[in-house]
Amino acid sequence: MGSQLDPGLAARNPRTPPWRDPWADLPRQERIWRTAFVVSQVLVRVVIALVCYTIFTLTGAMGTGGAVADRGTAVATHCERVGPVSRSGLGWYWSCAAEVTWSDGRKTQEDFQSSELTPRNVTEPAAVVHREVRNASDLVVVDAPRPFAGLGWALFVALTFLLVHGVWIPGVPPMPADRRAERRRRVRLQWWQPLASPIGWGLVIAGGLGTASSTGLAVPTIVLGFAALVVGWAVSLNRRRKGVVEPQVLPPEQVRRWGRAGGWLVVLGGAAAAVGAIANFANFFGLLGTVALPCAVLAIGARLKLVAKRRTGVGS
């Protein structure tokens, strides 16, 4: 499991942070790549912010805060198509101005985004509610079920952290071929690290969708998803700063024990997922909230078995 690179380099891309060489001493090409990296990270964060806002709006999470202060009906007076970037987020939506008649007979003019009202509501009134939100502007929203508000809140928290962390765009800046090959080799021999972020996002999404059902383990699934994402981001940040460390050399017997542990996790995770699927067969969202954790256990077990084979030279 030796490496031709200096172990201190740890397969780190010299063109990404931490940057040790002063800007004035860099060749022109390196300046271009570092500028491209900074620009790409700014663009990535803009896109993440727009995606976060769009999801938060479309899932109805934005309209769930505050106590209901009044109820009324809204009739659209003017609607127009907006997009691809607007107050509704990413995509194409209806934006409508409407006259709202409240329970006490008052009439007010309100704007509705994200296709809450459409041209159909010019002749078809829609029920609306006035919500009082502490330390914020009051909300006037369409009174409709919002089964995916839990998903919106879960993704809002996860995407906010991702907004701070950022996402590395492959090839910006490019990594030298020898370091890229060494990095790939080291990642292939890591036990669980490559699964942390995928499992975290899977649990957050599955748990968020699971909140649409009264059954399942939606909240614990979301919390464990957040924990996995934090671990995944810590691994990513460490790789960004120091590169991928050389996997620790383990004796063959210990490698075999990890493989056997992986096999047991596959069996236990698969059995728990099957039981959860049978118990919630007719409830899709409850099923997601129930089987997400067992599937994560199954994935970790499969990874342990795979890496154990790679470390003993049996697998590819």
Side-chain angles (χ1 to χ4, degrees):
M1 215 178 301
S3 169
Q4 297 180 350
L5 285 178
D6 181 353
L9 297 177
R12 187 183 69 80
N13 191 346
R15 296 191 176 109
T16 57
W19 296 324
R20 295 182 174 85
D21 297 331
W23 178 268
D25 297 339
L26 291 175
R28 180 174 179 272
Q29 185 179 15
E30 293 301 315
R31 293 185 184 183
I32 293 174
W33 279 121
R34 293 197 181 187
T35 301
F37 175 81
V38 172
V39 171
S40 71
Q41 290 304 300
V42 172
L43 293 177
V44 160
R45 283 164 170 80
V46 170
V47 171
I48 293 173
L50 289 172
V51 170
C52 182
Y53 177 77
T54 303
I55 292 175
F56 197 61
T57 302
L58 293 184
T59 56
M62 184 174 290
T64 58
V68 175
D70 201 357
R71 296 180 182 274
T73 57
V75 176
T77 57
H78 174 73
C79 292
E80 62 179 353
R81 204 70 167 162
V82 296
V85 179
S86 66
R87 290 171 57 191
S88 299
L90 297 174
W92 296 91
Y93 308 93
W94 287 108
S95 172
C96 294
E99 181 179 75
V100 179
T101 303
W102 298 104
S103 58
D104 59 2
R106 290 181 302 111
K107 294 182 182 292
T108 61
Q109 298 294 321
E110 306 289 345
D111 293 326
F112 293 85
Q113 308 297 324
S114 305
S115 297
E116 278 201 297
L117 296 184
T118 67
R120 180 185 64 184
N121 298 112
V122 172
T123 57
E124 182 179 321
V128 297
V129 293
H130 174 203
R131 292 183 175 274
E132 293 182 340
V133 183
R134 182 180 299 178
N135 299 326
S137 299
D138 291 350
L139 294 174
V140 177
V141 295
V142 172
D143 188 12
R146 303 177 188 275
F148 301 115
L151 173 64
W153 280 107
L155 287 176
F156 174 78
V157 175
L159 288 170
T160 298
F161 278 103
L162 187 63
L163 182 64
V164 176
H165 182 269
V167 176
W168 173 64
I169 300 177
V172 183
M175 180 184 291
D178 57 341
R179 296 201 187 194
R180 185 170 60 251
E182 177 62 19
R183 183 186 183 94
R184 186 182 304 114
R185 183 191 70 83
R186 295 183 183 188
V187 169
R188 283 170 50 83
L189 296 176
Q190 289 183 327
W191 291 107
W192 55 266
Q193 292 90 335
L195 287 184
S197 291
I199 285 178
W201 284 109
L203 291 179
V204 168
I205 294 173
L209 290 171
T211 60
S213 170
S214 58
T215 61
L217 301 171
V219 174
T221 299
I222 293 172
V223 172
L224 290 176
F226 288 156
L229 286 178
V230 170
V231 173
W233 291 329
V235 170
S236 175
L237 187 60
N238 189 62
R239 287 179 178 177
R240 187 183 300 177
R241 292 175 175 174
K242 302 178 180 179
V244 181
V245 298
E246 176 71 22
Q248 181 182 3
V249 177
L250 300 176
E253 179 56 34
Q254 192 169 348
V255 172
R256 285 192 291 271
R257 282 201 298 270
W258 278 105
R260 287 194 294 270
W264 279 108
L265 290 178
V266 169
V267 172
L268 293 175
V275 171
I278 293 172
N280 295 273
F281 181 75
N283 184 351
F284 176 72
F285 295 115
L287 183 149
L288 286 177
T290 301
V291 305
L293 288 174
C295 286
V297 172
L298 190 155
I300 293 173
R303 174 73 186 185
L304 294 182
K305 285 175 60 66
L306 177 63
V307 175
K309 289 182 180 180
R310 287 174 176 173
R311 290 201 175 195
T312 54
V314 176
S316 58

